[in-house]
Each structure stands twice: as structure tokens, then as C-alpha cells.
Amino acid sequence: MNELNMSHVYMNYHTLKGITEALKDISFSVYNGEFISIVGPSGCGKSTILNIIAGLLAPSSGNISIDNRSLNDSYLKIGYMFQKDQLFEWLTVWNNVLLGLRIQHKLTEENKNKVKKLLTDYTLWDFKDHYPNQLSGGMRQRVALIRTLALNPSVLLLDEPFSALDYQSRLSASNEIYKIIKLENKTAIMVTHDISEAISMSNRILVLSKRPAILKKDITIKFDEKFDSPLKRREAPKFRLYFNDIWEELDISE
Ligand code: ADP
Ligand code: MG
């Protein structure tokens, strides 16, 4: 994938109570290898954007394309990770990470070896016979990510992936997940309501307004090379400047 493009997307939900306007004229592009975060007040339409990109929802109007092809005939695969890791408690780590491949009838030796390598590279191989409830929250998220990566998606969508974790686990999980995404050369779009998390992981941050969401700002994040991980970035002098910049844009008043 070179470019994912959202162009003039509007989304209205029709319910018994009437129409909820969720998105209003949202346009942006995401380029290969980027890590984009979408921040905005609760209920503004962030998950709606990911669901539209995933093809789970059709926008009321506007277009989404990947490399100038519409989502429908796009040959690209999209991986989706949620706040809850959606691991199956009755399956071992190994069977959880193979699940997607099994469902898609792609359980070849070659693919199994790839998954084995992912588990080994990211220090989970020793836990392959464990069950999810024997793992920490951060490890569970890594297993969920590897299950998604097993299908070799071109774009990863992450919806508040760390919000079920406590603060300390959240810091280390975001550091680990970031590392995996970078080493595997994946393009990622993450929704979060945590400004610090967004700054620590992204090269660009899209700031949305209150519902109906309009795109208020598209901020490029750049740190000196020595700040090469989310944890180190939090120590960078520029971190606070970005934080204040985004804080001022965010409209979280009731
Ligand atoms: P966010 O992820 O930013 O918290 P969402 O994208 O989930 O927000 O929702 C945006 C708005 O659309 C909210 O007001 C929500 O109640 C409404 N909404 C979301 N999904 C539906 C749906 N399936 N039907 C009706 N309204 C919905
Ligand atoms: Mg949401």
C-alpha cells in the first residue's frame, strides 16, 4: 500500500430517535509506513472512522480509497485490534494466534513458521502453551497483535488498544506494540483519547472536534533520533510543547 485516502466523508447514523451526525467532511491521507493517531473527545466519531476504513460501515457520502482503488475491490487486507483483545480463553496462545489463518484456510507450514518467528522475536514463544488468563494484560495485547499480523495486513487499525490496561502496563505495552509495528514495517492508524500516548507513538496526529467530528488539525510529530521509542519520547523536551498544542485544540468542554 502507498496511500490510503479518505475524501469528504460524512457519516450519519439513523436511529429511532432520529439522525446522529457523526462525521462531517473528513478528508485525510495516510502514507505507507506512517503511524497516525486520531484523538478527539469521547463520542465524537473516532471509532466510526476506523469502522469505515475497515469496510464494516458504509459512509453516508464520500470516498475511501487505497492506492486509488475503492475499498471494495481493494486487494489489501486490513487488520483490526480493539480495546479488548478478543482472545479466546479456552484456546492456548498458539491456537489463538493461528486462529485467523485457520479460518481463512491458510494454515500452511510456511505461515505457521512465520507465526512461530513472530512469537519468538517478541518473547512469547515460551508461553505458546499458556492460556490467555495466565498472561499479563500487556502480553495479551501482544498476542492479539501477532494474531492480526499472522494474516499479513497492509494496514493496522487500533482502537484504544491500551485503555483496558493500568497506567504502568499501558506505558510498557505501548512501547512493545510500537516496536513490533515498526520492525514489521506496518502502517498503523490508532484511535486514542490519551494525548500523551498519541504523541509518544505517532508521526502524525489528527485532532477531531466534538461530534459531528470535523478534522481540526493535522499535526506532524518529529523528535530527534535519540528519542527512538515511545518511552524515550516522553522524556523529550518537545513532548510538552506538542501536548500543549493538542490540548488547546481539543474541545472537551461539555
Ligand atoms: P468515539 O469512538 O469517538 O467515542 P463513535 O465513533 O463510537 O465515537 O460514535 C460517534 C457517535 O455516533 C456517538 O454519538 C455514538 O453514540 C454514535 N453511534 C456510534 N455507533 C452508532 C450506531 N451503530 N448507531 C447509532 N449511533 C451510533
Ligand atoms: Mg470509540
Side-chain angles (χ1 to χ4, degrees):
M1 178 202 89
N2 286 314
E3 179 183 353
L4 181 152
N5 178 265
M6 255 205 164
S7 172
H8 303 293
V9 166
Y10 288 75
M11 182 70 199
N12 301 322
Y13 289 107
H14 296 263
T15 64
L16 288 174
K17 286 192 194 148
I19 296 175
T20 303
E21 261 190 293
L23 304 178
K24 197 168 174 180
D25 202 14
I26 300 284
S27 299
F28 63 86
S29 287
V30 175
Y31 300 96
N32 189 33
E34 282 200 290
F35 195 120
I36 304 279
S37 284
I38 301 176
V39 301
S42 175
C44 76
K46 302 183 292 298
S47 298
T48 300
I49 292 181
L50 292 194
N51 286 336
I52 289 174
I53 295 173
L56 299 173
L57 280 177
S60 304
S61 63
N63 287 305
I64 298 96
S65 64
I66 295 182
D67 296 342
N68 293 319
R69 298 164 69 146
S70 83
L71 268 189
N72 294 335
D73 60 24
S74 170
Y75 54 100
L76 292 162
K77 284 176 298 184
I78 287 170
Y80 211 154
M81 244 182 92
F82 302 90
Q83 171 178 351
K84 209 177 152 317
D85 55 49
Q86 323 242 328
L87 297 178
F88 291 106
E89 301 295 342
W90 60 90
L91 295 177
T92 59
V93 165
W94 179 238
N95 283 320
N96 262 293
V97 291
L98 293 183
L99 192 68
L101 289 169
R102 189 167 276 139
I103 291 170
Q104 295 193 0
H105 305 290
K106 289 180 186 160
L107 208 53
T108 59
E109 276 311 305
E110 189 191 350
N111 283 336
K112 275 199 217 172
N113 284 332
K114 266 192 219 154
V115 176
K116 181 178 173 183
K117 183 169 184 327
L118 285 168
L119 287 175
T120 308
D121 286 351
Y122 304 114
T123 63
L124 286 163
W125 182 245
D126 290 344
F127 297 89
K128 68 179 191 317
D129 297 323
H130 285 53
Y131 288 88
N133 68 13
Q134 298 173 291
L135 308 177
S136 69
M139 288 168 87
R140 291 178 65 117
Q141 280 303 41
R142 260 149 61 214
V143 173
L145 178 62
I146 288 171
R147 181 170 72 185
T148 309
L149 291 176
L151 296 168
N152 200 23
S154 315
V155 183
L156 281 170
L157 306 178
L158 306 123
D159 196 348
E160 311 250 7
F162 312 114
S163 50
L165 305 177
D166 63 71
Y167 184 68
Q168 306 294 336
S169 318
R170 202 181 166 117
L171 291 185
S172 63
S174 60
N175 210 52
E176 292 300 316
I177 294 284
Y178 174 87
K179 197 166 84 187
I180 299 175
I181 290 174
K182 286 296 156 192
L183 288 171
E184 302 299 321
N185 283 318
K186 295 296 173 188
T187 305
I189 307 174
M190 177 174 83
V191 158
T192 176
H193 58 254
D194 183 332
I195 304 175
S196 300
E197 190 170 280
I199 300 168
S200 74
M201 297 177 81
S202 324
N203 68 292
R204 256 169 70 212
I205 299 180
L206 309 178
V207 184
L208 302 180
S209 70
K210 279 195 290 198
R211 191 178 65 74
I214 59 163
L215 184 53
K216 285 185 84 176
K217 210 164 179 184
D218 183 335
I219 302 172
T220 298
I221 306 288
K222 200 154 172 34
F223 288 98
D224 289 347
E225 268 177 29
K226 63 177 175 178
F227 301 110
D228 60 356
S229 74
L231 282 177
K232 288 186 195 157
R233 279 179 162 204
R234 287 171 184 266
E235 305 297 325
K238 273 167 89 182
F239 194 87
R240 182 112 317 251
L241 298 177
Y242 284 129
F243 189 97
N244 292 340
D245 199 14
I246 295 166
W247 180 255
E248 274 170 21
E249 287 298 329
L250 267 185
D251 184 3
I252 50 173
S253 57
E254 290 299 315

